[in-house]
């Protein structure tokens, strides 16, 4: 396909397309920055992928998501497509709808061992930690019925997450989950996995009911019985959670110190250029934190669309409901968008309905692991909270009646974002023409 006379990049069916590549410190690759600056466009769609991605997966995501746009925009709109590539990690045993075959994830009995692709990805994620990863992988494969083995596994994970260069000492900001009893943590995580499996298993079942409130319930079955051997699925999830905390920090750094300054500099050179930010999962955190680098008077960011955003639903709040002395991490920054901030959410997303609140609670509350209240909710699960005047719309109503011209708005996309197996549910089910139409509407680019 050729759009506007430009031959698309390899693997991408629309054009002009360029990637914008960042390292873990948020430093941009100069060649990709220069390529984006040369793009001829009136409007740039800037999309940041999420946590469970490598370069190949993110390219396929951008190709699929961008495909409807040429047929949706008005005649005066000349689109440029930008795929943000930032250091993430792909868990190959977690299937993505439309990308992986159904049933790609192994069953509980044979799914605790690290497959080769995941082990290689972890090695890139934690370079120089081959010994710790090999030993942790060996324990996951063997699943010994031993409390001492779980204690050893917990120590290995702590070394991976918050070790000094010699691998001896914990850092001062270690999340509580890595200081608690490993058996108890794995028991809770195994229960969360059982809940996610139960929500995904019945054909035609409604995960919204199974995941109501996002609580991590006391799940029946192996999580609460069957001996220690049954808890190694929870141990594997603990290793995944270790990458979660690192990715959360990394996404904020890349957004604030990388993407935001690059786009602000570009806008200074090309003031007529309109920028539309799109982010999925932790990529929603990347694009949202880029607003911290946008000057108050700037008007180049014309819309921000969050697809299953993996950060707090209170992020844009001036005052937290449970602590009036503090605001959200992005409080007031919606006003740096010259258009709406659209949070698309779905109750079918068990990554955000089960694991996000659990991870958030375990990071900062050592008093207990079970239980849930609204302070731990994700914007991609139930939309924007505690922002006065922020409307809440169904997807069909948003497409039919349009979006507000500015400010935060929540759009329930559960009618299309609904497919996917455990443990993440519909978290990655975002390649839908309806969501492309939401982006076009938010950016006032339609026919």
């Amino acid at each position: 396909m050729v759009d506007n006379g430009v031959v698309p990049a390899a693997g991408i069916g629309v054009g002009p397309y360029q990637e914008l590549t960042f390292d873990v410190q948020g430093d941009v690759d100069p060649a990709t920055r220069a390529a984006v600056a040369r793009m001829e466009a009136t409007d740039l769609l800037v999309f940041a992928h999420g946590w469970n991605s490598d370069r190949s997966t993110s390219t396929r995501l951008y190709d699929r998501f961008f495909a409807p746009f040429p047929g949706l925009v008005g005649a005066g709109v000349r689109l440029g497509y930008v795929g943000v590539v930032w250091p993430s990690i792909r868990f190959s045993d977690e299937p993505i709808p439309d990308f992986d075959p159904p049933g790609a994830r192994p069953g509980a009995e044979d799914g605790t061992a690290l497959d080769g692709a995941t082990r290689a990805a972890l090695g890139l994620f934690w370079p120089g930690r081959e010994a710790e990863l090999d030993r942790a992988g060996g324990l996951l494969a063997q699943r010994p019925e031993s409390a001492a083995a779980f204690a050893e596994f917990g120590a290995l994970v702590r070394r991976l997450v918050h070790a000094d260069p010699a691998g001896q000492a914990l850092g001062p900001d270690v999340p509580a989950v890595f200081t608690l009893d490993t058996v108890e943590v794995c028991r809770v995580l195994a229960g969360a996995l059982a809940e996610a499996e139960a929500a995904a298993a019945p054909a035609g079942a409604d995960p919204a009911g199974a995941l109501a409130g996002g609580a991590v319930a006391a799940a029946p079955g192996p999580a609460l019985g069957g001996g220690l051997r049954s808890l190694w699925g929870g141990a594997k999830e603990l290793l995944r959670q270790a990458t979660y905390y690192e990715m959360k920090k990394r996404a904020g750094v890349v957004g604030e110190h990388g993407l935001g300054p690059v786009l602000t500099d570009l806008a200074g050179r090309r003031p007529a250029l309109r920028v539309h930010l799109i982010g999925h999962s932790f990529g929603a955190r990347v694009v949202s934190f880029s607003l911290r680098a946008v000057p108050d008077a700037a008007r180049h960011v014309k819309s921000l669309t969050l697809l299953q955003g993996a950060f707090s639903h209170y992020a844009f709040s001036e005052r937290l409901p449970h602590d009036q002395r503090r605001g959200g991490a992005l409080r007031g920054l919606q006003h740096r968008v010259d258009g709406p901030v659209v949070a698309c959410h779905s109750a079918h997303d068990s990554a955000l309905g089960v694991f996000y609140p659990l991870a958030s609670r375990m990071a900062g509350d050592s008093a207990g692991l079970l239980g849930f209240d609204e302070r731990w909710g994700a914007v991609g699960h139930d939309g924007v909270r505690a922002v006065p005047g922020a409307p809440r719309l169904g997807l069909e109503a948003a497409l039919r009646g349009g979006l507000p011209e500015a400010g935060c708005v929540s759009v329930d996309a559960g009618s299309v974002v609904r497919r996917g197996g455990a443990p993440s549910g519909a978290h990655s089910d975002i390649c839908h023409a309806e969501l492309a139409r939401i982006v076009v509407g938010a950016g006032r680019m339609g026919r």
Side-chain angles (χ1 to χ4, degrees):
M1 175 179 176
V2 176
D3 180 46
N4 294 328
V6 179
V7 178
I12 300 292
V14 296
Y17 170 83
Q18 296 291 344
E19 290 181 345
L20 196 55
T21 303
F22 297 91
D23 66 14
V24 294
Q25 285 80 37
D27 294 329
V28 65
D29 175 75
T32 64
R33 179 177 188 164
V36 170
R38 291 192 298 268
M39 295 178 74
E40 292 296 329
T42 62
D43 295 73
L44 283 187
L45 300 177
V46 181
F47 193 165
H49 64 77
W51 171 24
N52 189 30
S53 295
D54 54 19
R55 194 179 203 98
S56 172
T57 304
S58 62
T59 299
R60 288 195 288 166
L61 169 65
Y62 298 148
D63 178 51
R64 289 289 302 276
F65 191 81
F66 284 147
F69 281 88
L72 298 175
V73 299
V77 175
R78 181 179 172 88
L79 291 178
Y81 303 87
V82 177
V84 176
V85 178
W86 59 288
S88 184
I89 183 169
R90 170 78 164 105
F91 288 87
S92 60
D93 62 350
E94 182 180 321
I96 297 176
D98 299 323
F99 288 6
D100 299 313
R105 183 173 180 266
E109 287 304 308
D110 58 0
T112 57
L114 296 177
D115 64 274
T118 298
R119 172 61 183 84
L122 290 169
L124 294 173
F125 192 80
W126 283 305
R129 297 294 181 186
E130 299 301 318
E132 289 91 339
L133 288 170
D134 285 344
R135 180 55 183 157
L139 289 170
L140 289 172
Q142 297 162 14
R143 297 188 295 148
E145 186 99 12
S146 162
F150 278 93
E152 181 186 1
F153 186 86
L156 291 166
V157 172
R158 285 194 292 272
R159 287 166 65 90
L160 290 169
V161 176
H162 279 283
D164 67 14
Q168 299 299 317
L170 290 174
D173 60 343
V174 58
V177 63
F178 301 114
T179 65
L180 299 170
D181 178 74
T182 304
V183 170
E184 179 60 18
V185 169
C186 292
R187 191 183 305 279
V188 172
L189 291 172
L193 285 168
E195 182 181 358
E197 293 278 4
D206 182 1
L211 304 179
V216 178
L224 300 182
L228 295 178
R229 187 175 175 84
S230 66
L231 303 184
W232 281 102
K236 186 176 184 180
E237 183 60 31
L238 178 60
L239 187 60
R240 275 174 43 89
Q241 291 296 320
T243 69
Y244 161 91
Y245 293 106
E246 179 61 31
M247 290 298 300
K248 179 179 179 180
K249 292 186 295 181
R250 186 178 295 180
V253 168
V254 170
E256 182 175 0
H257 300 291
L259 180 62
V262 166
L263 294 178
T264 297
D265 178 72
L266 178 60
R269 299 171 187 270
R270 297 174 58 183
L273 187 65
R274 296 159 45 92
V275 175
H276 308 276
L277 300 174
I278 310 162
H280 170 237
S281 184
F282 273 145
R285 185 178 178 89
V286 171
V287 294
S288 296
F289 272 70
S290 77
L291 297 177
R292 287 184 169 181
V294 174
D296 283 332
R299 290 294 178 264
H300 61 279
V301 179
K302 297 300 181 181
S303 66
L304 170 61
T305 304
L306 311 174
L307 305 173
Q308 303 310 115
F311 59 87
S312 173
H313 55 193
Y314 294 140
F316 292 101
S317 175
E318 290 290 344
R319 294 287 183 270
L320 300 178
H322 52 280
D323 186 351
Q324 291 290 305
R325 297 167 299 175
R326 297 189 297 125
L330 301 169
R331 58 189 175 276
L333 292 188
Q334 65 268 33
H335 302 302
R336 297 186 182 180
V337 179
D338 188 27
V341 173
V342 185
C344 294
H345 59 94
S346 172
H348 303 283
D349 185 336
S350 51
L352 300 182
V354 175
F355 290 102
Y356 177 88
L358 179 58
S360 299
R361 180 176 176 83
M362 290 195 298
D365 183 1
S366 60
L369 302 182
L370 295 174
F372 173 84
D373 63 48
E374 286 196 352
R375 79 184 69 182
W376 310 119
V379 70
H381 185 250
D382 58 6
V384 174
R385 298 285 179 173
V387 175
R392 304 182 66 83
L393 304 173
L395 179 60
E396 294 75 13
L399 293 174
R400 181 177 60 252
L403 297 163
E405 292 187 359
C408 294
V409 55
S410 301
V411 174
D412 186 346
S415 59
V416 296
V417 179
R418 58 185 303 113
R419 296 179 303 137
S424 293
H427 184 61
S428 295
D429 183 23
I430 61 169
C431 291
H432 298 283
E434 293 89 344
L435 299 184
R437 290 170 59 196
I438 289 291
V439 175
V440 169
R444 302 180 290 280
M445 295 178 284
R447 296 180 181 276

